[in-house]
Amino acid sequence: MVVLNRIYTRTGDDGTTALGNGERRPKFDLRVSAYGTVDETNAAIGVVRLHLADAPEIDAMLGLIQNDLFDLGADLAVPQREGKAERLRVVASQVDRLERDIDTLNERLSPLTSFVLPGGTPAAAHLHVARTICRRAERIMAELAGKPDEPVSEAAIRYMNRLSDFLFVASRAANRNGAGDVLWVPGQNR
């Protein structure tokens, strides 16, 4: 249970922030950037959900994803250390659920004949924004994982990889199952 009685603490006024284990890091630290960008992904998904009154299935899937993203932020905020009690971690079943949701939405989509430009319905356009933020979070997480003594769980990285796929497929679903996709026309404006 998290209890937040006081929002400002002044402890970050020196340009540092605390990880979930109490360790202080600069606010520009790669780990802080990773979970901050996961949070940004979550906020973008919140905007998407404002446009899904006619797509309750996608909205429900995104509701679960938003909770997962808080789990993922908690996972990143407490680096795994040997000999330490295990904290909240993203697990394989969360990745599996995303894959099932991708398959469910993808079954209804018309085949792609070109790359899709971000656009179409407001929900689809916002899903593309969320997808690009998600990809940035994944890149930061992969960079973090490549550093010595900066563990990132494989499940967390897989989750973000699948999430960007989900957001792409969901954008097509929000575009009348692909019928409203805006397709790239190579060289159209030459």
Side-chain angles (χ1 to χ4, degrees), residues 57-58 61 96-109 166 169-170 173 177:
E57 181 182 31
I58 296 171
M61 291 172 177
D96 294 342
R97 191 196 71 246
L98 267 181
E99 290 177 352
R100 286 190 304 274
D101 288 348
I102 291 167
D103 292 342
T104 296
L105 294 177
N106 202 44
E107 286 175 358
R108 305 172 195 150
L109 298 179
F166 171 87
V169 170
N177 288 326

Side-chain angles (χ1 to χ4, degrees), residues 79-99:
Q80 292 175 298
R81 302 282 186 229
E82 286 188 38
K84 297 284 184 179
E86 195 56 37
R87 295 291 194 93
L88 180 63
R89 300 285 174 217
V90 171
V91 294
S93 62
Q94 290 168 294
V95 177
D96 294 342
R97 191 196 71 246
L98 267 181
E99 290 177 352

Side-chain angles (χ1 to χ4, degrees), residues 129-151:
V129 171
R131 175 185 56 78
T132 62
I133 297 167
C134 176
R135 282 285 190 210
R136 180 164 29 98
E138 180 187 6
R139 289 190 303 272
I140 294 168
M141 290 168 59
E143 183 180 359
L144 179 65
K147 298 214 174 281
D149 299 322
E150 289 292 355

Side-chain angles (χ1 to χ4, degrees), residues 16-73:
T16 66
T17 193
L19 297 182
N21 61 4
E23 178 187 344
R24 303 290 304 172
R25 297 271 183 108
K27 290 188 178 189
F28 57 83
D29 184 83
L30 201 55
R31 183 167 294 279
V32 177
S33 292
Y35 67 72
T37 310
V38 168
D39 187 39
E40 190 179 344
T41 303
N42 205 342
I45 289 171
V47 174
V48 170
R49 294 185 70 198
L50 297 173
H51 301 281
L52 290 175
D54 61 342
E57 181 182 31
I58 296 171
D59 184 56
M61 291 172 177
L62 289 172
L64 296 174
I65 287 166
Q66 284 192 292
N67 199 80
D68 287 348
L69 289 174
F70 261 77
D71 290 353
L72 201 148

